Amino acid sequence: MTSLIGTTGLTGTTDTVMTDKIVAFADLDDTLFQTLRKLPGVAPDTLQAATVNTAGAAHSYSTPAQVTLMELLRGGKVTVIPVTGRDEAAMRRVTLPFTSWRVVNHGLTILTPAGNLDEVWAAQVFSQLESLQGQLHALSQQIRPEASRLGCRLSIHQAAGLPFMAVIKHPQADAQALAHLQGHWESGLDDAHPLQVIANANNVSLLPRTLGKAAAVRYLRQRHFAGAALTLGLGDSVSDLPFMQECDFAVSPTAGQLMRALQKARLMQS
Ligand SMILES: [Mg+2]
């Protein structure tokens, strides 16, 4: 007797072989660890260092619950794949033991388990980024004077050899200045615009709308984990939601931005 799965397949594909593999796609900062600034009143001796700064000193920490969550995943033979806005250098400063694929630069770069660039993904990213260069440059230049008037710094980040993101930071993470600049950028973009604005606790970023964490997770799932029995998406931010929705289940820290936003949402009849 022939198994249905793997021949005609219950999913309609012909080459999907179901495995018992469990994969967790996990955002890092504020999901698996955070800086001490985000942990007021927590006794430092209960924490475990999870990243170092450029000088090699401990910088971000995991709480006992975050440590236990990682141990639970590892104990359950779950493949944990970081999905982070960190660039490759910042990813190297994460000291948690990740051994599989890594998604960095908000999804624009995928690293293989050996640490090499996934060339197929990089080629796809390059071809889509090319067409966004004019708009990315124009919107960055447009906001530059207002950003510097408010004491903020604007930097342009590259992936696949091309600029893909403009980031505004304030040295003291002044929420008012960042919110003002966020509004300024957003007023020029509608939902159909190929670029979108993402706000985090200490920065505002302008980056491609469709070429992000969700696209990278979809690519990895289809190409390398098509037969996974279960996929989990872990994230704290509203901007993590699209990639978490690429997974079977979502896990979110209750004190995170995503859960706060959910709590404020007015539920409508559906
Ligand atoms: Mg996060």
Side-chain angles (χ1 to χ4, degrees), residues 24-29 32-33 50-54 59-60 70 74 80-107 109-117 157 213:
F25 293 95
D27 170 61
L28 298 179
D29 291 76
L32 295 182
F33 50 73
T51 76
V52 293
N53 61 19
T54 49
H59 186 246
S60 299
M70 279 299 283
R74 272 201 295 275
V80 183
I81 299 180
V83 181
T84 178
R86 287 173 171 256
D87 61 18
E88 285 176 70
M91 183 70 223
R92 282 194 290 273
R93 296 198 293 274
V94 176
T95 53
L96 298 181
F98 296 115
T99 56
S100 184
W101 298 79
R102 276 148 283 168
V103 176
V104 299
N105 283 331
H106 291 279
T109 304
I110 296 178
L111 300 173
T112 68
N116 302 316
L117 202 62
H157 296 242
K213 289 179 170 185

Side-chain angles (χ1 to χ4, degrees), residues 27-33 38 83-85 200 213 234-240 243 253 257:
D27 170 61
L28 298 179
D29 291 76
D30 300 329
T31 296
L32 295 182
F33 50 73
K38 305 270 183 72
V83 181
T84 178
N200 276 312
K213 289 179 170 185
L234 281 67
D236 70 292
S237 297
V238 173
S239 61
D240 291 324
F243 97 75
Q257 184 198 58

Side-chain angles (χ1 to χ4, degrees), residues 13 22 48 135 170:
T13 57
I22 304 172
Q48 272 189 26
Q135 284 158 308
H170 186 277

Side-chain angles (χ1 to χ4, degrees), residues 108 117-130 160:
L108 279 285
L117 202 62
D118 182 310
E119 300 285 358
V120 176
W121 181 244
Q124 287 183 28
V125 166
F126 184 87
S127 68
Q128 290 187 54
L129 271 186
E130 267 187 312

